[in-house]
Amino acid sequence: MSALMQELKETVAFIQSRYSKEIKIGIILGSGLGNLANDIESELEIPYHEIPNFPLSTVKGHKGRLIFGKLNGKNVLVMAGRFHFYEGYSAKQVTFPIRVMRLLGVTTLLLSNAAGGVQDKMEVGDLMIINDHISLFQPNPLIGPNEEELGTRFPDMSEPYSKELIQKAEAIARANNIDLKLGVYCGVTGPTFETRAEYKLIHTLGGDAVGMSTVQETIVAKHSGMQVFAISVITDIGIREDENTITHEEVLQAAKDAEPKLTLLFGGLVADL
Ligand code: HPA
């Protein structure tokens, strides 16, 4: 068995020794979006540092724990805080928890993130459903020997984000008067925010939002056969003519402000799964 499979099995056995219910839905909460965790009827929380082989989250605004519980009556496994490539973790470490989720039985993954908007007419606080992505220098986490037990060597990526889940989310948004944008998420390494020229480049390349997460997680989720739904909270606007500074604090605040809409959408989707 490969070292990765050994680690995964050890981690999964540890979690199953603490929590044995079947879980089909995994949720990852992005920067400033951790409050959705308050809506979970929590049955068990495990801080990352207690979980064998889990990296430690180092970013402000990420609480770093797995939450097992119920959302709208469904069992969910929530990652409050994720791992980012810019923290110095390898692509394999960033995506380790996704593989753990799959081995625990998760088949649907809901992702959220904070992102910079680069689409015309986007405003801070908008929600953008991700319908496709472009990786801009985020290394592919599947590079290296393929784990046949987990998935195929050359995964198809024609529908990285489930069309069915997108339609369901759009219906929930309509019913609740939530305005949704739809677009392509460009994944970059960070940790610098983009220069003006880079935001322009991303726009020219077909990106509608840009952020430092999600792409590697989606690749690994698709590799292992999960369906993925992902949404960006637009926390800053990349292309603007004059004043163009962005701080992490602004990003966190904008994410927090938009959070109730996200909670409604995720809650509705989970209820419908
Ligand atoms: N760029 C990259 N990542 C981000 C941004 C951004 O403008 N906003 C939030 N995460």
Side-chain angles (χ1 to χ4, degrees):
M1 206 191 297
S2 70
L4 174 63
M5 285 312 298
Q6 250 164 24
E7 285 187 3
L8 281 168
K9 287 191 172 163
E10 190 188 358
T11 306
V12 168
F14 168 82
I15 291 172
Q16 283 174 334
S17 75
R18 307 270 311 266
Y19 192 87
S20 57
K21 284 188 194 162
E22 191 187 32
I23 318 156
K24 295 223 168 94
I25 305 167
I27 299 176
I28 300 186
L29 303 177
S31 303
L33 299 168
N35 279 338
L36 187 137
N38 299 337
D39 291 334
I40 312 282
E41 272 172 61
S42 169
E43 293 168 4
L44 174 70
E45 300 198 5
I46 317 181
Y48 291 158
H49 65 87
E50 288 180 15
I51 304 174
N53 308 316
F54 249 53
L56 290 179
S57 185
T58 63
V59 192
K60 224 161 70 179
H62 293 257
K63 286 190 186 129
R65 67 205 198 279
L66 282 187
I67 304 166
F68 300 80
K70 282 206 159 47
L71 179 61
N72 286 340
K74 299 274 170 69
N75 291 338
V76 292
L77 166 47
V78 177
M79 274 184 81
R82 55 153 58 91
F83 303 106
H84 302 85
F85 192 64
Y86 63 75
E87 291 176 84
Y89 301 117
S90 68
K92 286 231 156 30
Q93 287 177 302
V94 167
T95 54
F96 185 82
I98 313 293
R99 291 182 152 143
V100 169
M101 282 190 183
R102 182 67 196 94
L103 295 177
L104 286 170
V106 170
T107 50
T108 300
L109 184 63
L110 309 183
L111 302 171
S112 62
N113 61 50
V118 290
Q119 192 187 81
D120 297 336
K121 296 195 193 123
M122 238 173 207
E123 286 173 23
V124 168
D126 279 350
L127 294 185
M128 186 192 91
I129 292 184
I130 300 176
N131 63 1
D132 210 340
H133 73 222
I134 297 171
S135 172
L136 270 189
F137 315 118
Q138 282 192 0
N140 194 306
L142 303 180
I143 289 173
N146 186 50
E147 300 289 349
E148 292 295 328
E149 226 181 293
L150 299 174
T152 180
R153 173 75 286 189
F154 299 107
D156 174 71
M157 288 296 275
S158 58
E159 191 184 323
Y161 303 93
S162 159
K163 282 193 184 128
E164 195 187 326
L165 291 180
I166 291 174
Q167 280 165 7
K168 281 184 180 173
E170 286 174 334
I172 296 164
R174 267 194 306 275
N176 290 283
N177 266 328
I178 297 175
D179 178 43
L180 283 183
K181 304 278 193 298
L182 185 70
V184 174
Y185 176 90
C186 231
V188 293
T189 67
T192 43
F193 291 113
E194 289 62 42
T195 63
R196 281 164 203 262
E198 286 165 344
Y199 281 120
K200 263 190 203 145
L201 173 78
I202 288 163
H203 184 59
T204 305
L205 288 176
D208 298 300
V210 52
M212 305 173 195
S213 66
T214 302
V215 168
Q216 293 173 326
E217 295 159 348
T218 297
I219 290 172
V220 163
K222 290 304 289 178
H223 177 244
S224 65
M226 291 166 149
Q227 61 172 351
V228 179
F229 175 81
I231 193 154
S232 292
V233 175
I234 303 302
T235 56
D236 51 274
I237 301 300
I239 299 176
R240 44 186 175 183
E241 290 311 316
D242 13 280
E243 182 260 337
N244 200 21
T245 62
I246 301 166
T247 65
H248 187 50
E249 285 65 32
E250 280 168 349
V251 165
L252 291 180
Q253 189 57 49
K256 207 161 164 248
D257 293 345
E259 192 165 44
K261 293 191 287 185
L262 180 83
T263 303
L264 227 153
L265 268 189
F266 272 14
L269 271 179
V270 164
D272 206 17
L273 280 168

